[in-house]
Amino acid sequence: MTGFVPPDRPSSGSSPRGGADFQVEGNPVDAMPPASGVLAEQEGMILQRGGEELRLQKLGDRFTFRPTADAPAEITLEDWVQQLDVESLRPVPGVDLIEVKTAAGQADAGIDRARAHRYVAFASHVYQLAQNPQTRVYLTDELTVQFANSVTTEVMGAIALELGLKPAQPVVGIPQTYVFEVTPQARANPIKLANQLMHRPDVLLAEPNIVIRAQQLYRPQEPEYPRQWYLQTQGGSQIAPTAHISVEPAWDVTRGSRAVVVAVTDDGFDLNHPDFQGPGKIVQPRDFKLQTNLPLPEASHENHGTACAGVAIAEENQFGIVGVAPGCSLMPLRTTGFLDDQAIESLFDWALQKGAAVVSCSWGASAAYFPLSLRQRAAINRAATQGRGGKGCVVVFAAGNANRPTSGTVNEQGWMNNVLRGNTQWLNGFAVHPDVIAVAASTSLDKKAAYSNWGDAISVTAPSNNAPPGMWLPQTGYTYTGPQIRAALPGVGVFTTDRLGAAGYDPDSFTNTFGGTSSACPVVAGVAALVLSVNPDLTAREVKQILQETADKIVDPDPDPQLGLRFGTYDASGHSKWFGYGKVNAARAVEAARRRLSAAIAPSEWQSLSNTTPVAIPDDTPRGATSILQVQGDSREDRADRPLRDLRITVDVEHSYLGDLEIMLLPPQGDPILLQSRTLGRRTRLQTTYTLQTTPLLRTVLNRSARGVWQLRLVDCAPQHVGRLLSWQLNLGF
């Protein structure tokens, strides 16, 4: 047997697509005993996809085919209709397939005619997903197979020969993984072949390459999502088509990772709200006012935190609304309501020490001029530079709602009871802190919000409502700033979560009147969380830079209706006193973060460790089950202490309902890394490998020593189903 010629070595021949050839002699290997997979009678109706098994339904009135490469160009679509005796056909855009419409129940006969045609290379049924009948599934003649590390090239070649597969190309970046073409010698279609391969213990994954029509952009199914104009909108009454933050294209990349924690610091949170529910949603809550771990609102006016948290991270659960970063975790922190040094230190030190990635602060001092103390400046700096293992927490502050400079002087007049009059110095010490992202507000018409504070310290803008400027002062309580605005202030409010029942801003569980820079701030915090979900390597300073560089340069040429100022354009450096560097754009920010993913240095050698001792996973128990691997040095100059360049984690789990499970990796250094969230549904077997490409948060352990104890923790988050970890493997590249 000459064996399989790997793609990275020269071959004596090549396949039509330039991949390597399999070269085998003798008989194919004997079929191995089944290791996992679906029942034989279901092989044609279960789609292997992303580690899941999706049930299919075959359509009886249509099929697809692909013409051969030498099919005469003069054969028109009308010719194909006549020659195949079908009703109609149309090309499938983007792929070399033609979809054929037949009479009801005549698809099988049509496929037989197509396969007998001299110019048809491939023909297949058309399917639909059983749980989503609107989604049609088209088959190609490609199959991706990932073999176990122990499988030799000779065995790969024998398996391919046995099943009628021809190698096409390797899958770059994933070892032991190749794309195959299904040849006419195959006795089954790619769906059945994938399921047959998944029975083999020497195959980790087998997936047919399917074609599904692209949805233009991801849209959540929350019933109130259409009212969240600030996320994505086509316009409407008092809503400009461009007023949103372009979040749907960002969601096509990531909707947030549970490992990215957003600390919302405010007056209290209705944690019973359904939009804050979900496995792992709430982490490290704290009430600094009552010194407890239950930061619920007390007084009737404590509604602010619930609304802010909803804007940033409301869960995607087909109820209510959705946050900017619905997949991220919430760290709800109830403040004392006062800004003494100890209160600020306690707040930011908690966020730093408990793993916050983003800190959202929709509050400020009830004073016109408020410089930060040394301890307050230091507390924010610690969080922004030492959080996330030295990469820094992204600290986001609302600029304020008085329509005043974050630092500057205004000749005040027209205030109630002349509480402020004459040349008055203004300073928001939080907004001007160099480690902070200071957020201004724009309206639903892409104009400056009348109340939004402004100045050189503004980083970016985010959409919010429009209203007269005002602030809370000890002498007066809440008061409008002077002079009074008599012009209309068009714009609509932000729709977000509210306290349940009669409590809150509105008598139900949501409000459509939220606004201020208080609302703009968690919008930016949510975008920052999406950025870190796609690239956790970024420092806090780099996140700020990305948000500023990718912002939309909205322009407002009109004078401010209160002070008559015109700061709605940009200077030579691209900065506007009203809008900072522009309105935050989630899609562009996420894409920029993804482009900055540093290329991992290719390892020169690998170390593989495995634990094959089965571990039972307790049912509905937070502590879960843990399996460990000990990485030690060896005689080769303590290889374990060399910087880690790459890693891959392979797991083999059986469970009666895998959708109950969360799987976490606990490295010797750094924070736990969520490998698998509760997205596996009814599957009962998980055999997969997590890599830097599939799980970006694994990058947080690169460039560190691998020495120490590595733990794999599996937590069953719901009752009635049990299972066990069969084995896991840690592959370390140095």
Side-chain angles (χ1 to χ4, degrees), residues 171-196:
V171 177
V172 178
I174 305 179
Q176 297 281 91
T177 307
Y178 303 92
V179 177
F180 295 88
E181 292 178 25
V182 179
T183 70
Q185 288 70 45
R187 295 190 299 271
N189 69 24
I191 292 176
K192 291 182 179 179
L193 290 173
N195 286 311
Q196 292 170 10

Side-chain angles (χ1 to χ4, degrees), residues 235-250:
S237 177
Q238 296 194 60
I239 301 174
T242 58
H244 56 82
I245 64 167
S246 299
V247 79
E248 287 181 4

Side-chain angles (χ1 to χ4, degrees), residues 341-426:
D341 290 353
Q342 185 175 357
I344 297 300
E345 285 177 336
S346 297
L347 188 67
F348 284 95
D349 285 347
W350 180 279
L352 185 161
Q353 295 164 7
K354 302 300 182 180
V358 182
V359 185
S360 181
C361 308
S362 293
W363 43 265
S366 58
Y369 193 85
F370 185 79
L372 301 186
S373 71
L374 176 65
R375 288 171 61 185
Q376 291 172 341
R377 291 199 307 272
I380 295 174
N381 176 261
R382 276 197 304 277
T385 58
Q386 298 177 22
R388 294 192 304 124
K391 295 184 178 68
C393 304
V394 179
V395 180
V396 188
F397 264 92
N401 304 328
N403 190 31
R404 292 301 184 269
T406 53
S407 178
T409 301
V410 173
N411 184 12
E412 298 296 351
Q413 53 186 319
W415 286 66
M416 182 180 295
N417 299 326
N418 288 324
V419 63
L420 290 180
R421 187 175 185 181
N423 286 337
T424 302
Q425 284 188 294
W426 289 84

